[in-house]
């Protein structure tokens, strides 16, 4: 393929217009725009001066959960904001669903209708089995029909508040007990959605990923359901995997596109694990060549994570996921531990109004910090935490720039980033989040994202950016509808044209 008249290097230096030749899945040649004549039978993509950048990497999301969420009913903001709207949405879904089939809702937040329970759901949907996931991902609320099916041949889990039908931290028990959580979902729709946003690599951060889940990701990648490279976090069972890929080969194109990632510690402040047991688990994974990633959305969780990491000893690639509250006194500790922070700036936009109501005023300046972390010398990368956050990385970048909530409130204005720095959060190698952004240069892997406008136009409103084309190893995996024409991407039959 030949990409003509593309704008590159707008992050690192003065932007320049180039022609880009791709061969063998890599960038084979760069030259001034208009200077590379097409070869016979070479596909030509006219960029028209639009920005071309390396394919984005989302460093924190949940693939299988996202696949299921795409077929689930939104039950919280912004789609649903009142109790009446939630009842209407559930009843509308019930009207088109057979009585024996489950209704699965996601994204519920108490701002909609308070702490709804089994009795509330029974009034709204009495006959269909219903399960609704709270926005945190930890709590499920079920109605009586669902509860009867779940308990038909099993003892209740410890996290079940029976009368309320509220099931907390019992995903392992729920998994396989309802049709909506059985088996491994197809990732084809997820792959297309990610490609449409210019994403060519992701880090799968689900704590309960085990060897079976890992093999499912391998199979999905091999079957072509998912074009993106995948770094898979998970539990201690992944320690047993032999990671044969060259550590420097962060593109993974020489293998199956799936690699073992860090041990995931999903910490909960109300029930922190035993300190010494956690240190031993970290040490075992470190000895197996794995880094550790700790989920920390409260200050207590962050302090605990830093303590166990200090006791276990440093390992390259150790990470803190979220660091949702990081006051100044923890920044020297983060730097001393050598960890990378993977943040979700989209939550400032998506949840900022809720934070203003629920987070103590003293903690609000330290929510999802960005500039403060970079200024302290702490490596920083970005992810959207889909499906618990919206999939669009461009909206996340704009949130990093503006630091505004959905209703316009500014949270932590001093943490804002320039558009180029916001983009860089999604350009580091999967295996090295927080490292220098990948560049378009000869020899680099042809994982590319072509925007619909030059960077000067894009940087003014990153949320408005649309991706014109996404390439993985030089192969087109997404083209915007208006560009799916023979004139836009065609084999060249006249090399001199």
């Amino acid at each position: 393929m030949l990409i003509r008249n593309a704008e590159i290097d707008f992050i690192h230096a003065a932007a320049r217009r180039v022609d880009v030749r791709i061969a063998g899945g890599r960038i084979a040649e760069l030259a001034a725009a208009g200077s590379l004549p097409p070869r016979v039978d070479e596909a030509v993509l006219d960029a028209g001066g639009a920005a071309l950048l390396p394919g984005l990497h989302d460093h924190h999301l949940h693939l299988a959960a996202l696949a299921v969420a795409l077929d689930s009913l939104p039950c919280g903001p912004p789609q649903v904001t009142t109790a009446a709207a939630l009842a209407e949405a559930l009843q509308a879904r019930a009207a088109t669903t057979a009585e024996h089939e489950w209704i699965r809702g996601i994204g519920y937040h108490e701002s909609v209708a308070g702490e709804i329970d089994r009795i509330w759901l029974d009034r709204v949907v009495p006959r269909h089995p219903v399960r609704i996931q709270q926005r945190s991902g930890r709590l499920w609320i079920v109605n009586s029909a669902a509860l009867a099916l779940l308990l038909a041949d099993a003892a209740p889990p410890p996290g079940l508040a029976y009368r309320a039908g509220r099931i907390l931290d019992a995903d392992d028990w729920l998994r396989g007990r309802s049709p909506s959580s059985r088996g491994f979902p197809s990732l084809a729709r997820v792959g297309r959605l990610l490609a449409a946003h210019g994403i060519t690599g992701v880090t799968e951060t689900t704590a309960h990923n085990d060897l079976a889940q890992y093999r499912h990701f391998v199979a999905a990648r091999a079957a072509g359901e998912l074009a993106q490279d995948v770094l898979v976090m998970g539990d201690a069972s992944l320690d047993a995997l032999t990671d044969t890929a060259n550590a420097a080969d962060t593109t993974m194109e020489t293998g199956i596109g799936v690699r073992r990632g860090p041990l995931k510690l999903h910490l909960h402040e109300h029930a922190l694990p035993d300190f010494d047991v956690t240190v031993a688990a970290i040490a075992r994974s470190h000895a197996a060549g794995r880094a550790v990633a700790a989920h920390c959305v409260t200050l207590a969780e962050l302090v605990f994570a830093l303590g166990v990491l200090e006791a276990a000893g440093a390992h390259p690639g150790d990470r803190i996921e979220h660091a949702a509250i990081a006051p100044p006194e923890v920044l020297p500790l983060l730097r001393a531990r050598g960890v990378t922070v993977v943040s979700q700036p989209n939550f400032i936009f998506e949840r900022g109004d809720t934070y203003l109501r629920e987070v103590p005023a003293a903690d609000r300046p330290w929510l999802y910090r960005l500039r403060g972390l970079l200024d302290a010398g702490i490596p920083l990368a970005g992810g959207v935490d889909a499906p618990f956050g919206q999939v669009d990385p461009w909206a996340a970048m704009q949130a990093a720039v503006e630091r505004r909530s959905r209703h316009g409130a500014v949270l932590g204005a001093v943490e804002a980033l320039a558009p180029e720095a916001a983009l860089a959060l999604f350009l580091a190698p999967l295996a090295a989040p927080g490292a220098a952004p990948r560049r378009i240069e000869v020899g680099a892997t042809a994982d590319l994202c072509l925007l619909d406008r030059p960077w000067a136009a894009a940087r003014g409103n990153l949320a408005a950016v649309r991706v014109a084309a996404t390439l993985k190893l030089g192969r087109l995996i997404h083209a915007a509808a208006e560009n799916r024409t023979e004139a836009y991407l065609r084999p060249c039959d006249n090399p001199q044209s």
Side-chain angles (χ1 to χ4, degrees), residues 109-459:
H109 187 263
E110 286 70 23
S111 62
V112 174
E115 293 192 354
I116 61 172
D117 57 14
R118 178 174 61 90
I119 297 170
W120 191 94
L121 287 175
D122 285 349
R123 286 199 302 267
V124 176
V125 187
R127 288 184 289 275
H128 294 76
V130 178
R131 58 183 292 204
I132 295 178
Q133 188 181 45
Q134 201 264 357
R135 187 172 70 180
S136 69
R138 297 176 54 201
L139 174 69
W140 288 93
I141 307 117
V142 300
N143 67 352
S144 294
L147 195 59
L149 292 173
L150 290 170
L151 298 177
D153 58 357
L160 171 63
Y162 184 89
R163 185 178 180 280
R166 293 164 68 87
I167 305 173
L168 181 67
D169 290 338
D171 276 8
D172 288 341
W173 182 85
L174 279 169
R175 198 169 298 112
R177 301 212 56 76
S178 67
S180 60
S181 62
R182 288 177 190 155
F184 189 80
S186 169
L187 298 180
R189 187 177 173 191
V190 170
R192 292 192 296 271
L193 178 60
L194 296 173
H197 290 299
I199 298 170
T200 59
V202 300
T203 298
E204 218 298 338
T205 59
T206 306
H208 62 69
N209 284 332
D210 56 14
L211 288 170
Q213 293 288 111
Y214 183 90
R215 293 185 185 109
H216 282 305
F217 292 125
V218 171
R221 184 71 164 72
E225 287 185 7
L226 197 68
Q228 289 75 17
D229 293 327
V230 187
L231 189 71
V232 183
M233 292 186 187
D235 64 21
S237 69
L238 301 187
D239 288 355
L241 288 173
T242 301
D243 194 355
T244 57
N246 183 337
D249 177 17
T250 55
T251 63
M252 297 182 278
E253 80 275 7
T254 57
I256 52 175
V258 181
R259 283 180 60 184
R260 179 187 69 175
L263 172 74
K264 178 70 179 292
L265 301 178
H266 201 159
L267 303 176
H268 302 311
E269 179 176 340
H270 75 284
L272 291 172
D274 180 87
F275 188 93
D276 293 334
V277 171
T278 306
V279 170
I282 293 172
R284 283 192 296 271
S285 289
H286 280 177
R290 292 179 74 191
V292 170
H295 163 105
C296 302
V297 296
T298 72
L299 180 57
E301 292 165 3
L302 180 56
V303 171
F304 180 88
L306 292 171
V308 292
L309 287 170
E310 179 183 25
H315 188 280
D318 284 342
R319 311 166 36 149
I320 299 294
E321 308 301 306
H322 308 297
I325 298 177
E329 57 267 27
V330 303
L331 300 192
L333 300 176
L334 286 165
R335 182 169 180 176
R337 302 295 176 271
V339 296
T340 295
V341 170
V342 179
S343 184
Q344 291 69 40
N346 50 303
F347 286 156
I348 293 296
F349 174 75
E350 294 167 17
R351 305 182 180 184
D353 297 303
T354 301
Y355 294 153
L356 288 173
R357 293 192 301 269
E358 298 181 356
V359 175
D363 289 336
R364 289 176 202 157
W366 322 126
L367 282 166
Y368 288 96
R369 301 186 68 181
L370 302 172
R371 173 53 57 195
L373 296 173
L374 290 173
D375 288 347
I378 298 163
L380 180 67
V384 299
D385 200 15
F388 308 108
Q390 300 300 309
V391 177
D392 187 356
W394 299 97
M397 294 177 214
Q398 187 62 23
V401 172
E402 289 190 333
R403 302 286 300 189
R404 289 186 181 275
S405 72
R406 194 180 299 277
H407 290 111
V410 176
L411 288 85
V414 297
E415 298 296 333
L417 299 180
E420 292 75 17
L423 174 60
L425 297 178
F426 294 87
L427 290 182
L430 285 181
R438 291 142 46 238
R439 301 186 68 165
I440 293 177
E441 54 193 358
V442 172
T445 303
D447 293 355
L448 302 171
C449 169
L450 177 66
L451 305 188
D452 64 346
R453 64 197 75 186
W455 181 247
R459 73 187 306 276

